[in-house]
Amino acid sequence: MMKMSVMMKSCCVALFFILTSVSAVQRLNTFNELKKINFDQFVPSHSLLLLHWFANIVDIDNNNVIRLTFDPNRGDFGSHHYGNYEGMLDPLPRGNIRYQYYTVGNLNGEMSSQLPSYVVHPRFGYEGRNRDRIVFRVREQNAGRLTGQIIDRVYITQHYETSEHQGTRYDPVHTYLVTPQLLSQIREFSVEYSDRMSLMNLRDQFGSRASDSQIRDIRNSWGGLACLGLFLFIVIQEKYIPVQHNNRRQPKAKRNTHPDFIVNIPESRQNGTSGMFVSLLQVEMTLKVTTSTSGKARILWDNVPQYLLNEGVMVVLYNNVKYLTYKSIGNAESGSFNTSIPLNEGLQVRLHKVNKLCCFWTSIGEELGRGEKFTNPSAVSIKGYKASLQLFAKDGKACARLYVKKSFNDWRSKFKDSWVGFYNSEDEDTTDYKWWQWQWARKFNPSTDFQDYQVYEYCSGMTIAPGVQARFILKDYTEKACTPCWRE
Ligand SMILES: *[C@@H]1O[C@H](CO)[C@@H](O)[C@H](O)[C@H]1NC(C)=O
Ligand SMILES: *[C@@H]1O[C@H](CO)[C@@H](O)[C@H](O)[C@H]1NC(C)=O
């Protein structure tokens, strides 16, 4: 008998211990604590959309009492009873007043279409794969209608990933109690007030470092939801922007000095789905096609912001609308990728999100930004003649183009003994050419006219690579033009 009761006691202690230890979820009291969560990495950023909606749909009075404005027993917004059978949350208080947990946020539920469009059809970058939920506890003082009843607990939580094989449970490690104080702060970002002044005020009130032009971009890209856009900007993106002195003054210094380094985002995206990223990308990131030593396209990227790396991104090489190759860049904010694609004008690097398919298969997700198209260097004039010479890349080979002014109609006789040679570097002597590295000017092939020039082309058998140069030799070894050396 004695033994039995000891056993029972230790059993109860153990049970009690399990219940209390698992229900110790983290608490988010303030906006700053919310900002410390790594959204996108451990918690879907979509849960911020859900939380923003929830904070604004409930009533919160001056005493921080939260009240329901909808009825979860009726399934409003796809909400329904949550049993807390795993004991993840505190057990329901006992007594005369009935308490009940409810969950909301399933986007496939019957009445989930009542949720606002920004939650059900989140813009790019905020999709949540329907894992995140809000769980709230209601004090059911009167039987019947739940509308108007007090909510005494609010949590953000999420289902485990399918790959974690945890069934439909919620993940206690990524469950947070959200205090009424924090909900009230989030309510300040109500989308009803999305004018410029409100955004500026919110920025100052929440100590944001968003520049005036970032505020403008947020307004342009989020329109009537601009306050939500600012909320997301502050909570997710802003912490990855390095602190700069004079932050509001120095937006695009790089733009003029290195035009080929600037990420160019097509107009149509300015108001588009990922407009939030636009301002950041223009300041920070570079994507570029260069030439490897073997005449292949080499992709360089630099300053890819951490919040994009966290999402999983890839560099993709395009020729107009067609992609040729791609590579996930993992966590490398800068790096290079030697492709096996022969260099040609028009190749372009774009940054895309990685779409994870089943197992380890991936595919190209939505575009986040793009570099400039690769362009050949411009032509240099042939001294003393109305003609010029251009070095260009075609299928990874060094080629040359002659532009001959249409009025220069005796060029064939003037250039009778002229030839174009290709050299590995500017140090090579003009006499030091190989047989596949030169051609008579008069044997160049006619190409499409360009304005008032006739154009002739010749492709050598030589690989285009950094340092390569073309020279126009009038006669014997008299040089009349030298192109700049092919750039890295
Ligand atoms: C983008 O927004 C600007 C105004 O902010 C507007 O003039 C322009 O037409 C919009 N473009 C698209 C593609 O919606
Ligand atoms: C890629 O190409 C560059 C330039 O040609 C070369 O220096 C580098 O070694 C190459 N990297 C690899 C991994 O082949």
Side-chain angles (χ1 to χ4, degrees):
M1 192 61 204
M2 186 70 188
K3 241 180 167 171
M4 183 71 177
S5 95
V6 169
M7 250 178 69
M8 274 185 63
K9 203 168 166 191
S10 62
C11 182
C12 288
V13 168
L15 189 63
F16 176 77
F17 186 75
I18 290 170
L19 283 176
T20 50
S21 64
V22 295
S23 65
V25 300
Q26 299 172 71
R27 198 183 169 92
L28 300 175
N29 294 297
T30 63
F31 207 77
N32 281 335
E33 289 175 10
L34 181 67
K35 279 162 68 175
K36 290 197 183 118
I37 299 179
N38 279 328
F39 286 100
D40 284 343
Q41 206 168 354
F42 301 117
V43 180
S45 50
H46 185 267
S47 52
L48 286 173
L49 300 178
L50 205 52
L51 188 60
H52 181 275
W53 162 77
F54 189 82
N56 283 287
I57 192 79
V58 293
D59 269 343
I60 304 183
D61 68 17
N62 293 336
N63 299 317
N64 277 329
V65 176
I66 314 169
R67 285 180 195 276
L68 262 177
T69 53
F70 58 93
D71 192 344
N73 278 344
R74 208 169 52 197
D76 289 352
F77 301 107
S79 59
H80 60 84
H81 172 243
Y82 168 62
N84 190 32
Y85 298 124
E86 296 92 10
M88 179 180 82
L89 305 175
D90 285 337
L92 294 172
R94 302 181 175 237
N96 296 337
I97 300 173
R98 200 174 101 104
Y99 286 80
Q100 197 67 261
Y101 283 112
Y102 295 92
T103 179
V104 65
N106 180 6
L107 304 181
N108 295 332
E110 201 177 321
M111 287 164 82
S112 55
S113 58
Q114 294 176 337
L115 290 165
S117 166
Y118 70 81
V119 174
V120 184
H121 306 291
R123 64 171 55 195
F124 163 71
Y126 299 97
E127 312 90 335
R129 278 176 287 157
N130 200 18
R131 285 168 55 212
D132 51 309
R133 299 286 185 273
I134 303 270
V135 172
F136 53 98
R137 192 168 80 179
V138 181
R139 250 177 90 169
E140 301 184 1
Q141 252 162 334
N142 315 310
R145 266 167 63 84
L146 288 181
T147 311
Q149 306 279 4
I150 291 174
I151 298 175
D152 77 334
R153 295 282 169 85
V154 176
Y155 302 87
I156 49 177
T157 187
Q158 62 190 54
H159 286 299
Y160 284 99
E161 295 262 25
T162 327
S163 61
E164 292 171 282
H165 304 296
Q166 293 280 356
T168 56
R169 292 201 305 136
Y170 293 130
D171 175 359
V173 175
H174 297 116
T175 298
Y176 301 85
L177 175 70
V178 182
T179 62
Q181 289 78 6
L182 176 54
L183 285 175
S184 297
Q185 287 185 307
I186 297 171
R187 279 162 77 88
E188 305 267 339
F189 293 86
S190 161
V191 294
E192 285 168 39
Y193 313 106
S194 280
D195 57 291
R196 185 165 156 275
M197 275 319 289
S198 303
L199 291 173
M200 301 275 188
N201 289 341
L202 283 170
R203 171 184 74 186
D204 299 340
Q205 184 183 340
F206 287 90
S208 160
R209 291 179 284 117
S211 64
D212 289 356
S213 70
Q214 279 166 335
I215 295 277
R216 197 178 332 111
D217 290 345
I218 290 170
R219 279 194 73 208
N220 286 344
S221 81
W222 288 84
L225 298 176
C227 281
L228 171 64
L230 180 62
F231 169 67
L232 297 169
F233 177 83
I234 296 176
V235 177
I236 306 178
Q237 281 93 4
E238 184 168 22
K239 57 187 175 196
Y240 300 117
I241 304 174
V243 178
Q244 291 174 342
H245 300 294
N246 238 344
N247 187 35
R248 298 195 182 164
R249 290 281 158 127
Q250 43 167 229
K252 283 149 195 168
K254 269 182 167 179
R255 163 154 293 190
N256 300 326
T257 45
H258 302 287
D260 52 350
F261 263 52
I262 295 300
V263 172
N264 171 25
I265 293 174
E267 288 302 317
S268 62
R269 298 192 69 84
Q270 291 285 342
N271 320 1
T273 49
S274 63
M276 268 297 284
F277 297 124
V278 169
S279 61
L280 304 175
L281 293 177
Q282 281 179 344
V283 178
E284 306 253 315
M285 190 169 67
T286 67
L287 297 168
K288 201 179 169 191
V289 176
T290 64
T291 317
S292 78
T293 46
S294 55
K296 305 296 197 310
R298 180 168 193 237
I299 294 175
L300 299 183
W301 67 95
D302 195 15
N303 283 329
V304 177
Q306 189 63 43
Y307 71 90
L308 293 182
L309 296 174
N310 291 344
E311 292 203 23
V313 288
M314 51 169 66
V315 286
V316 187
L317 188 68
Y318 274 85
N319 187 4
N320 293 317
V321 293
K322 192 166 149 227
Y323 80 84
L324 305 169
T325 183
Y326 62 87
K327 180 188 172 71
S328 295
I329 65 173
N331 206 34
E333 70 165 43
S334 61
S336 64
F337 166 37
N338 295 356
T339 72
S340 56
I341 307 295
L343 188 68
N344 271 307
E345 185 161 72
L347 293 183
Q348 183 181 43
V349 193
R350 303 183 192 168
L351 190 76
H352 281 255
K353 200 169 165 178
V354 174
N355 256 356
K356 293 192 184 70
L357 305 177
C358 71
C359 315
F360 40 79
W361 295 100
T362 57
S363 71
I364 301 180
E366 188 141 358
E367 182 185 330
L368 297 165
R370 47 175 76 182
E372 301 228 318
K373 287 187 176 179
F374 180 83
T375 50
N376 292 305
S378 35
V380 293
S381 67
I382 296 172
K383 276 178 229 120
Y385 298 91
K386 290 177 186 159
S388 49
L389 172 72
Q390 182 186 31
L391 177 65
F392 72 100
K394 189 169 179 191
D395 298 332
K397 299 294 184 198
C399 306
R401 226 174 244 139
L402 280 176
Y403 292 85
V404 181
K405 198 95 184 215
K406 283 177 182 162
S407 58
F408 180 21
N409 32 35
D410 58 345
W411 72 276
R412 281 177 194 279
S413 62
K414 287 273 177 5
F415 288 167
K416 185 164 61 74
D417 300 319
S418 303
W419 53 281
V420 172
F422 297 87
Y423 298 86
N424 283 311
S425 81
E426 56 189 356
D427 302 329
E428 278 187 329
D429 199 272
T430 298
T431 57
D432 192 13
Y433 60 90
K434 311 226 165 39
W435 64 266
W436 70 86
Q437 293 175 355
W438 73 279
Q439 182 55 281
W440 298 111
R442 56 193 151 80
K443 292 205 170 165
F444 272 46
N445 300 312
S447 177
T448 325
D449 287 8
F450 175 73
Q451 292 167 1
D452 48 351
Y453 289 90
Q454 285 173 324
V455 183
Y456 300 87
E457 289 182 359
Y458 171 74
C459 277
S460 74
M462 193 170 141
T463 298
I464 191 76
V468 165
Q469 183 180 51
R471 302 178 197 168
F472 183 89
I473 291 102
L474 185 64
K475 196 179 172 176
D476 304 325
Y477 295 111
T478 314
E479 276 176 29
K480 286 289 172 188
C482 274
T483 66
C485 287
W486 197 259
R487 282 184 318 175
E488 193 63 45

